[in-house]
Amino acid sequence: RKEVEQDPGPFNVPEGATVAFNCTYSNSASQSFFWYRQDCRKEPKLLMSVYSSGNEDGRFTAQLNRASQYISLLIRDSKLSDSATYLCVEYAGTYKYIFGTGTRLKVLA
Amino acid sequence: EAQVTQNPRYLITVTGKKLTVTCSQNMNHEYMSWYRQDPGLGLRQIYYSMNVEVTDKGDVPEGYKVSRKEKRNFPLILESPSPNQTSLYFCASTSEGLNTGELFFGEGSRLTVL
């Protein structure tokens, strides 16, 4: 079983829609999780960290469900500029980062 | 400006011709790492370094070498490149002291081995 699993998509949504992605992880001891955004052929960039209590930044909300071992990313009022691949990242400690393969989002006009 | 710089950004080479991809960061980060990204496989770690003269294998180290003689530089060496090393390569760095866990990535190096 892959350590971090994501639905590759693509998720095609109209502008203004709300979209949610989930990501499952297998190491119950991992403490930190992140969502990175990656535009086509460019480097990944941190979108937000995922805290146990949830984390909201404008239109973006990230949540962690430890019981079911998944994290989620919710994007409200989607913009064309949100089109990208979203990478789920598990931090397993001592600089060990485990990347999901990414979920591709296309926001359509 | 805080950044991770990789060179070259694009390279086409032939099988067996040694090449080096350089990586330099100006943030005094102790940790640096190399990843390759292939369609459907995501980012896979090649090698990493926790500090000067300390390097270790990641998940896919075969065919690669690294060195960490200075804190800012972490070159990736392909002694005898093969077509299966055609990929998009990213260097990344971070510091435990950041507390955010954020990895800072270079812009990527797209390598094609013919």
Side-chain angles (χ1 to χ4, degrees), chain B residues 52-94:
Chain B
V52 176
E53 301 292 2
V54 180
T55 64
D56 210 344
K57 296 177 181 178
D59 299 315
V60 288
E62 296 78 21
Y64 304 95
K65 285 174 58 178
V66 292
S67 68
R68 187 92 182 272
K69 294 185 170 62
E70 305 164 284
K71 198 171 186 179
R72 64 183 294 123
N73 295 323
F74 189 45
L76 179 70
I77 303 155
L78 286 73
E79 293 272 5
S80 183
S82 61
N84 65 13
Q85 292 179 298
T86 292
S87 188
L88 178 58
Y89 291 86
F90 288 105
C91 179
S93 72
T94 191

Side-chain angles (χ1 to χ4, degrees), chain A residues 18-89:
Chain A
T18 295
V19 62
F21 314 132
N22 282 348
C23 161
T24 59
Y25 63 94
S26 57
N27 184 354
S28 59
S30 289
Q31 296 297 311
S32 302
F33 302 88
F34 307 93
W35 284 103
Y36 277 71
R37 172 193 168 125
Q38 185 176 24
D39 293 296
C40 188
R41 297 174 182 245
K42 298 209 169 176
E43 74 273 25
K45 293 184 179 178
L46 180 67
L47 177 66
M48 57 198 311
S49 304
V50 187
Y51 305 126
S52 295
S53 56
N55 188 18
E56 185 172 321
D57 183 2
R59 298 182 293 108
F60 298 84
T61 300
Q63 294 200 307
L64 167 62
N65 184 317
R66 287 199 180 277
S68 300
Q69 292 187 205
Y70 74 85
I71 68 171
S72 63
L73 178 67
L74 180 79
I75 305 175
R76 289 179 295 278
D77 188 23
S78 300
K79 312 290 184 193
L80 294 175
S81 57
D82 293 333
S83 297
T85 296
Y86 292 85
L87 305 176
C88 170
V89 184

